[in-house]
Amino acid sequence: MEAKNREIEPDAVWHRSGGGTGGVEVAFLASGNIGLRDAKNPGGPALIFTPGEWTAFVAGAQDGEFNRPTA
């Protein structure tokens, strides 16, 4: 199912992961979608996930799907 709204509302509230200045920020949008952006570049591009895509993304991250390959 395609999300109808793939835009980030100007009043979206972003939550930073962990502490410090690095990492990512996540916003749970009024449309029901989830925004993800680089915490060091908040004015830059953001990914927008549908709830199903977000669930799959988080599950993949928890399973190590996105870990760097070992040399």
Side-chain angles (χ1 to χ4, degrees):
M1 172 185 266
E2 182 63 27
K4 293 184 189 302
N5 183 358
R6 290 274 185 162
E7 295 187 13
I8 296 175
E9 300 90 15
D11 60 346
V13 176
W14 292 90
H15 305 276
R16 187 174 299 226
S17 67
T21 58
V24 297
E25 294 178 328
V26 175
F28 296 93
L29 307 172
S31 64
N33 292 332
I34 298 91
L36 179 72
R37 69 182 183 186
D38 183 350
K40 294 177 288 185
N41 186 16
L47 297 171
I48 302 175
F49 296 89
T50 64
E53 291 167 341
W54 179 251
T55 299
F57 174 75
V58 170
Q62 290 173 335
D63 288 343
E65 223 175 289
F66 308 116
N67 292 352
R68 292 182 185 208
T70 56

